[in-house]
Amino acid sequence: MREVAIIGIGQTPVDEHWDKSLKELAAEAILAALTDAGRDSADALFIGNMLSGMLSKQENLGVLISDWIGLPGMEAVKVEAACGSGAAAFRAGLMAVSSEEVDSALVIGVEKMTESLPIETTEALATAADADYESAQGLSFVAINALVMQLYLHTYGWKHTDFAPFSINAHANALHNPYARLHETITEKDYINARMIAEPINLLDASPTGDGAAAVLLVPADSVTAQDHRIIIKGSSSATDSIAIHSRKDPLWLSAAVKSARKAYDQAGVGPEDIDFFELHDAFSIMSVLSLEACGFAERGQGPRLGLDGDISINGRIPITTRGGLKARGHPVGATGMYQIVEAVQQLRGEAAPTQVENSRIGLTQNIGGSGATIITHILTSD
Amino acid sequence: MREVAIIGIGQTPVDEHWDKSLKELAAEAILAALTDAGRDSADALFIGNMLSGMLSKQENLGVLISDWIGLPGMEAVKVEAACGSGAAAFRAGLMAVSSEEVDSALVIGVEKMTESLPIETTEALATAADADYESAQGLSFVAINALVMQLYLHTYGWKHTDFAPFSINAHANALHNPYARLHETITEKDYINARMIAEPINLLDASPTGDGAAAVLLVPADSVTAQDHRIIIKGSSSATDSIAIHSRKDPLWLSAAVKSARKAYDQAGVGPEDIDFFELHDAFSIMSVLSLEACGFAERGQGPRLGLDGDISINGRIPITTRGGLKARGHPVGATGMYQIVEAVQQLRGEAAPTQVENSRIGLTQNIGGSGATIITHILTSD
C-alpha cells in the first residue's frame, strides 16, 4: 500500500451548458487537470457519474471519454453511488494507484442534466432512493429531506430561520468562485421569503443542479517532489446505511457519516479539532447540520448553533462550503464529490482567495449518495 | 501490493426470474458465495451492473444490496462498463483488497432484464455504443456485430457455416450446467436453418439475455491455507479501444483485447500455450473468433479453424465456453463477467464435471463492454 498524491486539478463552471455535451465537459476538466499537473496522459480513468444512461442514453462512459480525450487504450470505468458517485470514483482511483495496479489515474466527476425535462430529471434522481418503498410512493428526493428536516425541527425545537446561516454562508463564498453556479448574495430576509418547495424546505434550503465536470490526477506520493503541487490523501473511507430512511432507528443520525468519518480520522491520525475546513454535502441545509453533528463538530441536535455563532464562516472555527458548496457552487450530482476534492486542493494550495482559509493544512470532504445512504469521507493534507 | 484469492463462489440460474427482483437475485448469489467460503460478512461490496437505472428505476445499488443482504454499514459501490461491468467490478474488488484498503470484498454481477419491454431493453443496451454516432443512426448492438461479421466473411473468405462449431460447442457444454439459460443440443442443420436477425447473424449466432447474478468473495491470498478453496488471481488488466467501430483502423482486430491479454499474460508469466481453458465473451459467434485471434490462439483471419478442428471442445487444445458461454449459459449483461469468473473457479477447483477440463490449472477469462470497446482480462490459477 503506497501513499497517493493529487498533482493536478481541473473543473468546468457548474452551469447550464447548452453548447457542451457530457464528453465535452469531461474533456475540459480532464485536460485542465493534466495541464495543471504538467502531464499529457495517465494509465487509467475513473468516472463518477449517476445519470448518463437515463438522461443522455449513454453508458460505457469510460471508453466514450477516454476515446474523446484522445487517449484510447487506457483503462477506463464508471463508478456509481448516486450523488456520492464523485467521491466513489475518487476512492476507486486511489485504490488503483495505491495497489500499484496503475501508476497514475485520472478521476473525474461529470454530469449533464440541462438537456432533460425537469420531470425526467426528478425521476432519474429518485433512483437514488428505494424504488420499491420510497420512489414508488411518489416520494421525491426533496420530499425525503423535508420529512427529515421537519422531524429535526420538531425533535430539537429549532426554528426554520435558524438554518438561514448555512445558505447565506454558501452564497457569500460562491460569490468569489468563478466556477460556481450562483453568484448572488442573499440575506436572512431572502431566506425567510423564499418560495416553499416541500415544507419546511424552501428554495434557499435546496441546492441547484446543473452541468459540470471536475477532475484530478493521482500519482504515487513518492514520485513527486515539488511541495507546492503535492496534496496527500491521508484518509479515505466509505460506509453505508439503509437505503430507505424508514428503516433507520434514528433518521436524524447519519450513521454512515459517523462510521466513514471515524475511520478517515483514524487513518489520518487526526480528530475534528484538527480539521481546518470541511467541504460537506449541503444538498439541503438540513444535511449541513446532520453532517456537522455526525463528524464531531457539534453535539447531537446542536448543529444549527454553528451557523448562528458564525463558526462555519471562512474565519470561523470550522469553515464549510468554502467555495459555495452544493447550495451555491451547484450540485451536478455525480460530479459533486469531485468538485469538493478540487476545492479542497485549492484551499490546501492556498489558491482560494478571497475565501482562503488561513494556514490551511488539513481538509475534510464528505460526499453523500441517497438520503444519508452512501457516505464517503476523505482527508487531504498539504504535506 | 498483496496477492488476492477467491475463496467463495455463488450464482443463480440465468433465466426469466419473474418471481425475483434485482436485489433478491443479488442476495441469492452473495449468500451462496459467503456460505461457500464459510464466512458471514465482508468489508466491502462491488457490484457490476449496467441497466438498473434504465430498466429498474434504481441506482445506488451498493446501498440497496448491502442493506437487503443484512449487512448495512459496509462499503458498497456500483461499477459500470456496459457488458464488461462484471469483470470491471471484479477488478475494482481486486484493487480494494490488494491495496489493503479492505481485507475482504464481495464482488457481484447482477442484471434484471425480464420485466422490461423488448424495445426498452434494446434501447438500454444501445447505450453501450456511441449515442451520437451509432445509436442515433438506429444502429442496434446486433447490427454493429453483423457489420463486423459481414466484413470478416468478406475479408477472409469464410462461409457463415464455418461459425457453427462455436454455437454447437456452447450448447453442448451448457447441457451440463444447471445454471445455464438454455439446455438443448443443437446441430449444424439447426444452425444453418436458424432465423435470421441481422444478416449474417442468425438466432444461433446470438446470445440470449436474461436475469441473473454471480458472486465471489475475495481475500488476501496469504490469509487462506486450505488449498482446495484458494484460487489465485495472477493477472488482471483492462484496456479500451474507440467506442465507435468506424473510428478503428481495423474493425476486425480487437486491439483492447490484445493489450489487455498481453498485460495479463505478462503479470502471470504465462502465454497462450499455457492456458488450460478460456471463458471468452461470445455475445455473438464473430466475437469468439476475434477474441481467440486477439489473445494469441489463432492467426489473424484463422479463428474459425479452431472450431472446425475441434480445438475449442472440452478435450481440445483450447476449450472455450466450458459451461455454456454467453451463447447458452446466457448473457445477463452486467452479470456476465462474474459468471465467467465463477465458472473459471469451478474448472480450477475440479467441480465442472462432466465438462471438466482435465488437469486444469490456469484459466483465462475475458469480458467485453461495447463492440470491443472495453475489454477486461483475468488469469486465475489453482495454485
Side-chain angles (χ1 to χ4, degrees):
Chain A
M1 185 175 181
R2 57 184 179 185
E3 206 165 53
V4 177
I6 301 169
I7 62 163
I9 55 173
Q11 59 186 318
T12 74
V14 178
D15 209 339
E16 294 187 7
H17 289 286
W18 292 96
D19 58 337
K20 285 176 190 155
S21 68
L22 185 144
K23 65 188 175 190
E24 289 169 320
L25 289 167
E28 189 173 319
I30 288 172
L31 298 180
L34 284 171
T35 302
D36 183 48
R39 304 274 185 115
D40 56 13
S41 71
D43 289 348
L45 172 63
F46 294 85
I47 300 162
N49 172 272
M50 177 184 178
L51 304 170
S52 73
M54 293 177 280
L55 298 187
S56 304
K57 310 298 177 204
Q58 180 72 67
E59 292 289 356
N60 220 358
L61 287 191
V63 67
L64 178 87
I65 294 172
S66 58
D67 186 11
W68 188 253
I69 60 174
L71 296 172
M74 78 192 303
E75 173 169 10
V77 76
K78 165 173 162 172
V79 180
E80 188 274 333
C83 301
S85 299
F90 182 74
R91 183 160 157 77
L94 166 68
M95 294 192 289
V97 177
S98 146
S99 69
E100 302 180 25
E101 283 285 332
V102 303
D103 282 327
S104 57
L106 283 161
V107 185
I108 184 166
V110 59
E111 205 73 73
K112 178 74 185 167
M113 307 176 72
T114 292
E115 287 170 358
S116 312
L117 298 172
I119 182 68
E120 290 174 336
T121 308
T122 300
E123 284 178 357
L125 289 172
T127 64
D130 192 307
D132 294 336
Y133 300 119
E134 293 183 322
S135 317
Q137 317 303 323
L139 203 60
S140 71
F141 237 76
V142 60
I144 292 174
N145 281 273
L147 290 172
V148 173
M149 189 172 185
Q150 192 74 278
L151 181 63
Y152 190 92
L153 296 177
H154 173 77
T155 305
Y156 297 115
W158 295 97
K159 299 187 305 294
H160 179 256
T161 326
D162 297 328
F163 285 71
F166 295 98
S167 190
I168 293 168
N169 175 65
H171 277 266
N173 291 339
L175 208 58
H176 310 286
N177 177 3
Y179 300 99
R181 177 94 157 90
L182 304 176
H183 292 114
E184 44 187 312
T185 310
I186 63 161
T187 63
E188 188 179 35
K189 194 176 164 193
D190 294 329
Y191 178 80
I192 293 167
N193 295 329
R195 183 160 56 87
M196 188 56 65
I197 301 173
E199 200 173 343
I201 290 181
N202 72 23
L203 193 64
L204 289 179
D205 286 306
S207 56
T209 61
D211 306 329
V216 302
L217 180 64
L218 300 177
V219 298
D222 60 14
S223 71
V224 197
T225 48
Q227 182 66 25
D228 56 343
H229 269 176
R230 201 179 87 142
I231 301 301
I232 308 289
I233 304 155
K234 286 286 187 187
S236 173
S237 176
S238 177
T240 54
D241 199 341
S242 67
I243 184 165
I245 55 165
H246 64 240
S247 298
R248 297 180 199 159
K249 190 175 172 186
D250 182 355
L252 300 181
W253 189 237
L254 295 180
S255 70
V258 174
K259 190 172 176 183
S260 166
R262 277 189 191 156
K263 188 163 174 195
Y265 286 146
D266 285 350
Q267 289 171 335
V270 302
E273 65 283 3
D274 301 307
I275 301 299
D276 294 316
F277 64 93
F278 181 13
E279 294 303 334
L280 52 70
H281 192 92
D282 58 327
F284 300 96
S285 53
I286 178 66
M287 292 309 293
S288 297
V289 166
L290 298 184
S291 299
L292 284 163
E293 295 176 11
C295 295
F297 298 102
E299 291 297 309
R300 199 183 287 217
Q302 296 305 309
R305 175 63 49 207
L306 294 174
L308 296 168
D309 290 351
D311 288 337
I312 60 170
S313 66
I314 291 298
N315 300 313
R317 184 161 64 86
I318 179 65
I320 66 169
T321 59
T322 68
R323 308 292 283 160
L326 282 64
K327 176 65 201 82
R329 172 243 296 129
H331 184 26
V333 293
T336 290
M338 287 306 300
Y339 274 96
Q340 294 176 318
I341 298 281
V342 164
E343 292 161 357
V345 171
Q346 289 181 317
Q347 283 289 354
L348 294 168
R349 283 185 182 178
E351 297 174 354
T355 59
Q356 178 66 46
V357 175
E358 269 186 56
N359 303 317
S360 184
R361 284 185 49 251
I362 306 177
L364 179 68
T365 66
Q366 191 168 72
N367 190 198
I368 303 183
S371 44
T374 305
I375 303 193
I376 304 154
T377 307
H378 283 98
I379 294 175
L380 309 181
T381 70
S382 55
D383 54 29
Chain B
M1 184 176 182
R2 57 184 179 184
E3 206 165 53
V4 178
I6 301 169
I7 61 161
I9 56 174
Q11 59 185 319
T12 74
V14 178
D15 209 338
E16 294 186 6
H17 288 287
W18 291 97
D19 58 337
K20 284 176 190 154
S21 68
L22 185 145
K23 65 187 176 190
E24 290 169 319
L25 289 168
E28 188 173 319
I30 288 171
L31 297 180
L34 283 171
T35 302
D36 183 47
R39 303 274 186 116
D40 55 13
S41 70
D43 289 349
L45 172 64
F46 294 86
I47 300 162
N49 172 273
M50 176 184 178
L51 304 170
S52 73
M54 292 176 280
L55 298 187
S56 304
K57 310 299 177 203
Q58 180 72 69
E59 291 290 356
N60 220 358
L61 287 191
V63 67
L64 178 86
I65 294 173
S66 58
D67 187 10
W68 187 253
I69 60 174
L71 296 172
M74 76 191 306
E75 172 169 11
V77 76
K78 164 173 162 173
V79 180
E80 190 275 331
C83 300
S85 299
F90 183 74
R91 184 160 156 75
L94 166 68
M95 294 193 290
V97 177
S98 144
S99 68
E100 303 181 22
E101 283 284 332
V102 303
D103 283 325
S104 59
L106 282 161
V107 185
I108 184 166
V110 59
E111 204 73 74
K112 177 74 185 170
M113 308 175 73
T114 292
E115 286 169 0
S116 311
L117 298 172
I119 182 68
E120 291 174 336
T121 309
T122 300
E123 284 177 358
L125 289 172
T127 64
D130 191 307
D132 294 336
Y133 300 119
E134 294 182 321
S135 317
Q137 317 303 322
L139 202 60
S140 70
F141 237 78
V142 59
I144 293 174
N145 281 273
L147 290 172
V148 173
M149 189 172 186
Q150 193 74 278
L151 182 63
Y152 191 92
L153 296 178
H154 173 77
T155 304
Y156 297 115
W158 295 97
K159 299 188 305 296
H160 179 256
T161 326
D162 297 328
F163 285 72
F166 295 97
S167 191
I168 293 168
N169 175 64
H171 277 267
N173 291 339
L175 208 58
H176 309 286
N177 178 2
Y179 300 99
R181 177 95 155 90
L182 303 177
H183 292 112
E184 44 187 312
T185 310
I186 63 161
T187 64
E188 188 179 35
K189 194 175 164 194
D190 294 330
Y191 179 80
I192 293 168
N193 294 330
R195 182 160 58 85
M196 188 56 66
I197 301 174
E199 198 172 346
I201 290 181
N202 71 25
L203 193 64
L204 290 180
D205 285 306
S207 57
T209 61
D211 307 329
V216 301
L217 180 64
L218 300 177
V219 298
D222 60 14
S223 72
V224 196
T225 49
Q227 183 66 25
D228 56 343
H229 270 174
R230 201 178 88 142
I231 300 300
I232 308 289
I233 304 155
K234 286 285 187 188
S236 173
S237 177
S238 178
T240 54
D241 199 341
S242 68
I243 185 165
I245 54 166
H246 64 242
S247 298
R248 298 181 199 159
K249 190 174 172 187
D250 181 354
L252 300 181
W253 189 237
L254 296 180
S255 71
V258 173
K259 191 171 176 184
S260 166
R262 276 188 192 155
K263 188 163 175 196
Y265 286 146
D266 284 350
Q267 290 170 334
V270 300
E273 64 283 2
D274 301 307
I275 301 299
D276 294 316
F277 64 92
F278 181 12
E279 294 303 335
L280 51 69
H281 193 91
D282 58 327
F284 300 96
S285 52
I286 178 66
M287 292 308 293
S288 297
V289 166
L290 298 184
S291 299
L292 284 163
E293 294 175 11
C295 295
F297 298 102
E299 291 297 310
R300 201 182 286 217
Q302 297 305 308
R305 176 62 50 206
L306 294 175
L308 296 169
D309 290 350
D311 288 339
I312 60 169
S313 66
I314 291 299
N315 300 311
R317 183 161 67 86
I318 179 65
I320 65 169
T321 59
T322 68
R323 309 291 285 160
L326 283 63
K327 176 66 201 81
R329 173 243 296 130
H331 184 26
V333 293
T336 290
M338 285 308 298
Y339 274 97
Q340 295 176 316
I341 298 280
V342 165
E343 291 161 357
V345 171
Q346 290 181 316
Q347 283 290 354
L348 294 168
R349 283 184 182 179
E351 298 174 353
T355 59
Q356 177 66 46
V357 174
E358 269 186 54
N359 302 319
S360 183
R361 283 185 49 251
I362 306 177
L364 180 69
T365 66
Q366 192 168 71
N367 190 198
I368 304 183
S371 44
T374 304
I375 304 195
I376 304 154
T377 307
H378 283 98
I379 294 175
L380 309 181
T381 70
S382 54
D383 53 31

